[in-house]
Amino acid sequence: MDKFFGGTYGTYEDKVSQARPFSKCGACKRLTKLIERYNKLECETCKKSYDLPKNGSYKLVGERFCPLDGYQVLLYTSAATQAAKYFICPKCYNDSPFPDISNHISCNLCPEA
């Protein structure tokens, strides 16, 4: 797909290189990049990508880190309902550490929070 539309819209790699540094990776402790158009966080050092909730905005609130994996916690605000705000850990959101809780876990559902 990038082969056909890359010249017009830019490739995903172009978007990563242009993305702004955002939050700390729990694995390497370096900054991940926020790619808002794709709702992703990308760690170029670890070569990992994390999906984020769609249709909203992301913000850092101080130096808050997940006690399970050390990733910096983000505040997600839904674009549809401004009252819908919740904290997420990028790693836990993509890969729940709890077998009885499915993926896309937010910090308010975490028994360790």
Side-chain angles (χ1 to χ4, degrees):
M1 198 62 115
D2 283 345
K3 184 168 94 176
F4 297 109
F5 297 107
T8 305
Y9 300 106
T11 63
Y12 180 76
E13 288 77 19
D14 291 338
K15 298 298 182 204
V16 171
S17 68
Q18 297 167 2
R20 65 184 170 110
F22 192 65
S23 65
K24 290 183 185 168
C25 173
C28 69
K29 308 300 183 214
R30 303 198 76 178
L31 288 176
T32 61
K33 289 189 171 184
L34 176 63
I35 307 152
E36 291 181 88
R37 180 177 180 173
Y38 294 101
N39 301 301
K40 290 191 178 288
L41 272 183
E42 182 89 23
C43 180
E44 292 181 296
T45 305
C46 296
K47 306 287 186 228
K48 295 205 178 210
S49 179
Y50 299 98
D51 292 329
L52 297 173
K54 295 179 180 7
N55 303 321
S57 61
Y58 319 100
K59 188 187 301 187
L60 294 177
V61 182
E63 292 283 315
R64 206 172 164 171
F65 295 90
C66 177
L68 299 173
D69 54 38
Y71 280 76
Q72 194 164 8
V73 174
L74 316 175
L75 177 64
Y76 167 76
T77 304
S78 171
T81 309
Q82 291 297 314
K85 295 181 179 188
Y86 52 91
F87 290 102
I88 61 163
C89 163
K91 179 139 174 43
C92 294
Y93 183 78
N94 284 272
D95 185 24
S96 175
F98 306 104
D100 54 331
I101 300 175
S102 67
N103 287 345
H104 299 154
I105 181 176
S106 61
C107 296
N108 64 327
L109 298 174
C110 179
E112 297 294 321

